[in-house]
Amino acid sequence: MDSWLTTVGLPIALAIVMLGLGLGLSVADFRRVAAYPLLMLIALVCQVVVLPAVCFGLVLAFGLEPELAVGMMLLAASPGGTTANLYSHLFGGHVAVNVTLTAVNSVLAVVTLPVVVNLSTDYFRPDSQAVGLQFDKVLQVFAIVLVPVSLGMVIRSRFPAFADRLAKPVKILSAVLLVAVIAGAILNERANLADYFVAVGAIVLIFNLISLAIGYGAPRLAGMGKPESIAAGMEIGIHNSTLAIAIAVSPALLDNTRIAIPAAVYGIVMFFTAAAFGYVVSRRQEPADATPAERADRARAEGAGQ
């Protein structure tokens, strides 16, 4: 994997992806946090604290080998992305909430992702020197992730029409580059791919289902409406597997194809689980005039009956 695709193409692709995200964001996206303070707090705690803890427990229970264990923790620490926004839209979620959560999570991940990956690397591979997102590389993450996002937001703020025109070609270009790199990573491991699917398929499926359930159930138990809860469920339940793969195989970061395997398997599984989950929760009827307290009582009763 030490080729021009990963040494040159991948950092450029990541930067372009982050630039594209920034072109779709504005300060108003972050201001929307004030409209749903409790929902945002619940979602962010679930994303940053609960899911890594759940993933860590699953990794220990399944006894994964160190590199796959680190890959699972990297996946758990990755934020949501555009796929979560799309699924939320398809199944009646509050898309503005998704946009806000994606924006906040993407910025928080610059700090939380290196922390989670370093801690998991120290735990599962204590003697490893070459593998791991070391803290001295946090500046590289800032350069590749946060700087392009900030640049995109500045462009949108000062030249909104230009940002609208630029958004589509940037998205296409980043998709082409990332697909090329990910295809190369999969091709490099094609002989072992079936074995890896067997090794991590079960834990990936369970983690994905737990993520969706927590993302939807926690806001419902707190009295949030169905659209807001669906939005949170999709945002928390659909991790950015593309970003996780890119970080895993990038020579400037983790530089390990095996660490990317959980995210690669997850990227296939989550399309089906998220669609099934969205279908189930969107079909559940709720009285339009239900108060938050009534919704909370009903959600608790439903949870007790399951």
Side-chain angles (χ1 to χ4, degrees):
M1 291 304 295
D2 188 14
S3 65
W4 72 270
L5 274 177
T6 52
T7 57
V8 178
L10 184 55
I12 292 175
L14 280 173
I16 292 174
V17 169
M18 295 300 108
L19 174 64
L21 176 62
L23 289 172
L25 297 176
S26 67
V27 177
D29 294 324
F30 294 90
R31 288 176 182 159
R32 279 198 290 271
V33 174
Y36 303 96
L38 180 59
L39 176 63
M40 294 296 165
L41 177 62
I42 292 172
L44 292 176
V45 168
C46 288
Q47 177 71 52
V48 176
V49 179
V50 177
L51 290 190
V54 168
C55 186
F56 182 72
L58 288 173
V59 166
L60 293 180
F62 275 78
L64 290 186
E65 62 179 82
E67 289 173 323
L68 297 180
V70 173
M72 283 298 303
M73 296 304 297
L74 168 61
L75 177 65
S78 298
T82 54
T83 303
N85 298 346
L86 173 61
Y87 271 81
S88 180
H89 172 71
L90 291 175
F91 294 105
H94 197 309
V95 179
V97 170
N98 283 100
V99 172
T100 304
L101 283 172
T102 298
V104 176
N105 263 331
S106 297
V107 175
L108 286 179
V110 176
V111 177
T112 60
L113 196 149
V115 169
V116 171
V117 173
N118 268 287
L119 291 176
S120 59
T121 300
D122 289 341
Y123 183 88
F124 293 109
R125 295 177 58 85
D127 299 327
S128 174
Q129 299 297 324
V131 178
L133 189 59
Q134 304 299 324
F135 283 108
D136 61 0
K137 293 185 178 179
V138 170
L139 288 179
Q140 291 178 327
V141 179
F142 269 92
I144 294 174
V145 177
L146 191 58
V147 171
V149 168
S150 301
L151 177 61
M153 292 181 65
V154 169
I155 293 175
R156 168 154 292 282
S157 175
R158 297 176 68 93
F159 311 102
F162 177 68
D164 289 336
R165 293 196 301 270
L166 194 60
K168 186 173 181 179
V170 165
K171 182 180 295 186
I172 294 174
L173 178 60
S174 63
V176 170
L177 289 173
L178 282 173
V179 166
V181 173
I182 293 169
I186 294 175
L187 184 63
N188 188 61
E189 291 291 321
R190 62 188 181 280
N192 301 316
L193 196 58
D195 293 336
Y196 289 142
F197 203 98
V198 171
V200 301
I203 187 174
V204 162
L205 176 61
I206 293 172
F207 176 67
N208 186 206
L209 293 175
I210 290 176
S211 300
L212 288 165
I214 289 175
Y216 177 81
R220 291 289 280 163
L221 290 174
M224 300 293 108
K226 181 181 286 187
E228 293 77 21
S229 299
I230 290 176
M234 293 302 180
E235 189 68 29
I236 295 169
I238 302 178
H239 297 267
N240 193 333
S241 58
T242 302
L243 180 62
I245 293 171
I247 290 173
V249 302
S250 173
L253 300 174
L254 295 178
D255 193 20
N256 190 299
T257 306
R258 287 171 65 84
I259 292 178
I261 296 301
V265 174
Y266 179 92
I268 298 172
V269 170
M270 64 92 174
F271 282 108
F272 301 98
T273 54
F277 181 84
Y279 176 78
V280 171
V281 297
S282 64
R283 286 178 62 85
R284 301 186 69 142
Q285 298 299 317
E286 176 181 282
D289 57 352
T291 65
E294 290 171 340
R295 287 196 295 263
D297 291 340
R298 185 175 297 107
R300 293 189 187 97
E302 291 172 353
Q306 292 177 349

